[in-house]
């Protein structure tokens, strides 16, 4: 993975109805465009649901087949991307994805409790990240840090963080795709983001 | 020394409200308490900024490009689906 410079452009790859019709009718250009944009991200998501790389690949291929063959069932009520991830998640589940519901490894605290005094206030000042942290990340120092932190999240947290913060789906879209409640989604997102912040905090340069 | 009023949040509580705050899902009352806490607490303000930066950084992650071979395999599959 690398940082996405063309992020906005990539995010806007949302086929219109005409393109989807062409996809159904065999237009390879449309297929190639969609595959270039979504295949690898879908693989990353599939890997959070099954343990084998081969099975993850199969699930994503199966998803593409479902898209091509089921295009007439896409009604445009959700975004194409949401529809795509919904198919992917359903395929992964029917392929025997283990619903990893264990929470034993998950911290219930956003911040290590030892960082607070006995009144519940910060024991030591929180050091600010340098203002240019976000742009400086292009320098690639923190990319591997963030990637491995993401990999290490509990699967449910990782799924929510990927769909919300990497793919940019809305709260409602994520709840629909994963079949979880809005409250549950917020908890998973909260813990996932808190964990990523903690890891980044140990690595970024401070003011 | 300020005495802690019952309705005042302490930092350890405030950090647990960050996502609900960003999601717009706090009640009006809790949002006011949270914002009042932030106004007086540079540490929690910094924490919120770090969470925002984390979200921005995560959103900038991207996957490697699909290899030419993998792409060709998919195109072959697509052709097969079309002919079936």
């Amino acid at each position: 993975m690398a940082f996405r410079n063309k992020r906005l452009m990539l995010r806007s790859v949302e086929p219109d109805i005409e393109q989807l019709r062409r996809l159904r009718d065999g237009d390879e250009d449309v297929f190639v465009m969609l595959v270039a944009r979504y295949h690898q991200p879908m693989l990353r998501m599939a890997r959070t649901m099954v343990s084998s790389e081969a099975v993850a690949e199969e699930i994503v291929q199966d998803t593409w087949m479902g898209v091509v063959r089921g295009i007439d069932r896409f009604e445009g009520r959700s975004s194409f991307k949401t529809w795509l991830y919904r198919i992917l998640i359903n395929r992964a589940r029917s392929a025997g994805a283990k619903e990893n519901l264990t929470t034993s490894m998950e911290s219930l605290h956003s911040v290590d409790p030892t960082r607070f005094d006995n009144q519940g206030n910060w024991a030591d000042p929180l050091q600010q990240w340098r203002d240019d942290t976000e742009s400086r990340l292009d320098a690639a120092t923190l990319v591997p840090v963030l990637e491995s932190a993401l990999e290490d999240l509990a699967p449910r947290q990782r799924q929510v963080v990927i769909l919300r913060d990497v793919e940019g789906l809305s709260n409602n879209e994520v709840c629909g795709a994963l079949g979880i409640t809005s409250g549950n989604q917020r908890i998973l997102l909260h813990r996932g983001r808190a964990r990523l912040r903690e890891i980044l905090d140990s690595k970024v340069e401070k003011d | 020394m300020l005495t802690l009023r019952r309705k005042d949040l302490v930092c350890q509580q405030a950090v647990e409200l960050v996502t609900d705050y960003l999601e717009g899902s706090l009640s009006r009352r809790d949002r006011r308490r949270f914002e009042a806490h932030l106004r007086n607490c540079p540490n929690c303000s910094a924490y919120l900024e770090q969470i925002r930066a984390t979200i921005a950084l995560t959103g900038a992650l991207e996957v490697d490009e699909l290899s030419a071979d993998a792409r060709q395999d998919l195109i072959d599959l697509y052709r097969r689906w079309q002919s079936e």
Side-chain angles (χ1 to χ4, degrees):
Chain A
M1 283 197 265
F3 273 105
R4 185 182 294 163
N5 298 318
K6 297 166 290 184
R7 177 174 156 202
L8 291 175
M9 193 196 82
L10 281 168
R11 284 234 166 132
S12 66
V13 177
E14 179 75 20
D16 58 30
I17 293 294
E18 174 56 29
Q19 284 174 314
L20 291 177
R21 202 167 289 142
R22 279 160 43 202
L23 176 71
R24 180 196 59 198
D25 296 338
D27 186 331
E28 283 180 14
D29 290 345
V30 177
F31 185 68
V32 165
M33 170 191 87
L34 292 175
V35 157
R37 165 64 182 86
Y38 290 114
H39 189 80
Q40 300 285 73
M42 283 203 293
L43 255 184
R44 175 175 51 198
M45 183 68 189
R47 287 189 197 112
T48 71
M49 305 186 77
V50 294
S51 46
S52 135
E53 179 70 21
V55 175
E57 287 270 2
E58 241 172 69
I59 288 166
V60 176
Q61 279 186 12
D62 221 32
T63 301
W64 285 121
M65 189 172 78
V67 166
V68 170
R69 296 202 167 145
I71 209 73
D72 289 332
R73 287 196 295 279
F74 176 65
E75 292 165 330
R77 277 192 299 211
S78 64
S79 69
F80 174 78
K81 180 160 67 180
T82 301
W83 185 63
L84 192 65
Y85 275 102
R86 216 185 254 263
I87 296 174
L88 176 80
I89 289 160
N90 288 337
R91 302 274 154 151
R93 287 190 174 152
S94 47
K98 287 181 289 297
E99 295 303 315
N100 195 331
L101 295 170
T102 52
T103 51
S104 55
M105 299 287 288
E106 296 175 23
S107 166
L108 297 176
H109 303 285
S110 293
V111 175
D112 178 355
T114 64
R115 298 287 307 272
F116 299 103
D117 62 23
N118 56 15
Q119 301 289 310
N121 294 310
W122 293 94
D124 298 302
L126 192 67
Q127 281 190 288
Q128 300 217 5
W129 292 357
R130 279 175 46 159
D131 268 352
D132 61 348
T133 293
E134 282 168 53
S135 53
R136 218 168 38 80
L137 278 197
D138 281 307
T141 47
L142 290 182
V143 174
V145 173
L146 188 55
E147 274 174 12
S148 79
L150 189 61
E151 287 295 306
D152 289 343
L153 291 182
R156 303 280 284 184
Q157 291 177 18
R158 188 160 24 129
Q159 288 160 18
V160 170
V161 169
I162 286 175
L163 292 177
R164 284 296 305 277
D165 292 344
V166 183
E167 283 299 326
L169 266 56
S170 73
N171 173 342
N172 281 340
E173 289 172 328
V174 173
C175 291
L178 289 173
I180 58 177
T181 64
S182 178
N184 197 356
Q185 191 249 195
R186 278 201 305 277
I187 290 168
L188 292 164
L189 185 63
H190 183 68
R191 295 192 183 148
R193 284 173 175 175
R195 181 68 187 143
L196 297 183
R197 185 214 67 90
E198 187 178 32
I199 307 272
L200 286 171
D201 189 46
S202 65
K203 303 285 181 187
V204 298
E205 287 175 39
K206 308 289 168 51
D207 270 337
Chain B
M1 187 82 178
L2 267 173
T3 40
L4 191 71
R5 280 170 297 156
R6 207 177 140 70
K7 61 186 182 123
D8 287 332
L9 292 172
V10 296
C11 302
Q12 201 167 7
Q13 295 171 309
V15 296
E16 299 302 343
L17 296 179
V18 163
T19 304
D20 286 351
Y21 175 69
L22 293 174
E23 295 280 281
S25 60
L26 287 180
S27 67
R28 189 186 296 186
R29 181 172 163 273
D30 284 345
R31 195 182 69 231
R32 287 210 189 108
R33 293 169 78 205
F34 181 77
E35 286 172 345
H37 180 88
L38 285 191
R39 276 195 294 278
N40 296 310
C41 182
N43 290 326
C44 286
S45 300
Y47 183 85
L48 178 63
E49 280 320 301
Q50 291 178 2
I51 289 288
R52 285 203 169 109
T54 301
I55 296 166
L57 294 170
T58 309
L61 278 179
E62 69 172 9
V63 289
D64 296 331
E65 251 180 63
L66 190 63
S67 72
D69 283 353
R71 198 178 81 143
Q72 192 53 51
D73 287 348
L74 285 164
I75 293 172
D76 292 344
L77 276 173
Y78 181 61
R79 286 179 185 152
R80 202 194 314 152
W81 297 331
Q82 290 299 321
S83 66
E84 275 169 11

